[in-house]
Amino acid sequence: MPKFAANISTMYPHVPFAERIDAAAQDGFRAVECQFPYDVAPQILRDALASANVELVLLNTPPGDFAAGDRGLGCDPARRMEFRENMMRALEYARALDCPNIHVMAGIPPPNVDATRVRDTYIQNLAWAAHAAGTAGKTALIEPINTRDIPGYYLNHQAKAHAIVRAIGSPHLKVQFDLYHAQVVEGDLATKLTQYLPTGLVGHIQIAGTPERAEPSMGEINYPYLFDLIDHLGYEGWIGAEYKPAGSTRGGLGWLAPYKAGVT
């Protein structure tokens, strides 16, 4: 049965960030994930996780200057040192919070920079990040993101992400397969799951309804079918519920009821 982690960056938006961990636990989640936890001290989050008996399974690297449009720095040749600093910041939190996975954000290529230089920068940065993650006992993840939500984002397709992971060849680098983003960009989700899950290169899965990015029970994706397929294919990792509730988070959790045992 699938096991689900609540994304506390998008779910429970009206609850203070650290308190969302307990809110998720009250709804039966035994794991959470988040995007950017860096405004809250690690010890506060660690205490909240321990109190709720919940584990943190994923966090993102800092995005850079989010207000200025940064969405990660992985592909920017001029910001390699800042990229490394952000990765080390993520590892600091991952160690403190016993979080196994770090999504290393690719970012948006700077204008007027040669595409080959951008790609080489990204590959080199990822190889360094994978080594750093492995040294810390963690896994670095890369995630294709659709260009409707983040116009210009460097990594958009599953094939490209898997090719990059294979090229780098590190056991500490895997793909974060977000079914919402994949549906927006390329569709054919069942075929892609069947193609990629058996490779062992998918380290984490995320879900949301498409196109609104609301509950997975809303929109065009037949998630019950895909959850059965994911089980059939032998995936044993967490599935992150990274969606924006259409109403109250708790009121929209009807989709979870058939899988309630799978959140523990």
Side-chain angles (χ1 to χ4, degrees), residues 15-259:
V15 178
F17 186 76
E19 296 175 23
R20 298 176 193 181
I21 295 169
D22 183 64
Q26 290 182 31
D27 287 332
F29 290 100
R30 297 271 59 86
V32 296
E33 61 177 32
C34 67
Q35 295 171 354
F36 312 117
Y38 305 104
D39 289 336
V40 181
Q43 189 59 53
I44 293 174
L45 296 174
R46 186 176 180 87
D47 290 347
L49 290 165
S51 176
N53 192 27
V54 165
E55 60 181 301
L56 179 69
V57 297
L58 172 75
L59 56 80
N60 291 359
T61 53
D65 188 342
F66 196 92
D70 288 343
R71 297 297 184 269
L73 306 176
C75 69
D76 191 335
R79 301 174 75 178
R80 291 175 186 256
M81 187 56 65
E82 190 177 352
F83 169 84
R84 294 191 176 195
E85 291 170 354
N86 285 353
M87 182 66 190
M88 296 309 293
R89 180 68 166 157
L91 283 170
E92 174 189 348
Y93 268 71
R95 288 190 188 96
L97 302 176
D98 295 324
C99 178
N101 298 308
I102 299 170
H103 168 209
V104 182
M105 299 190 70
I108 300 169
N112 305 316
V113 177
D114 179 75
T116 299
R117 188 178 176 210
V118 168
R119 185 183 187 281
D120 289 348
T121 296
Y122 186 49
I123 296 293
Q124 291 162 14
N125 278 341
L126 284 180
W128 180 88
H131 177 75
T135 299
K138 310 299 181 182
T139 298
L141 304 174
I142 60 173
E143 177 188 22
I145 294 178
N146 79 75
T147 55
R148 183 176 70 200
D149 286 8
I150 305 182
Y153 196 77
Y154 181 69
L155 189 64
N156 314 122
H157 292 84
Q158 291 296 313
K160 183 176 180 179
H162 282 82
I164 288 170
V165 169
R166 287 194 300 270
I168 292 174
S170 169
H172 309 296
L173 180 66
K174 295 191 175 185
V175 175
Q176 183 171 314
F177 193 148
D178 188 310
L179 297 175
Y180 161 77
H181 289 304
Q183 174 69 4
V184 173
V185 174
E186 48 194 325
D188 203 14
L189 298 180
T191 299
K192 287 180 172 57
L193 286 168
T194 301
Q195 177 181 357
Y196 292 121
L197 287 188
T199 68
L201 297 182
V202 175
H204 191 68
I205 293 175
Q206 290 179 320
I207 59 170
T210 305
E212 292 88 0
R213 203 172 188 178
E215 283 82 355
S217 53
M218 300 175 63
E220 63 195 22
I221 300 177
N222 183 353
Y223 273 114
Y225 172 81
L226 294 181
F227 294 155
D228 286 346
L229 176 62
I230 289 168
D231 259 2
H232 174 73
L233 293 170
Y235 175 78
E236 297 181 348
W238 291 95
I239 299 176
E242 190 189 33
Y243 65 83
K244 301 174 183 178
S248 73
T249 299
R250 185 160 294 165
L253 287 175
W255 66 270
L256 186 63
Y259 310 101

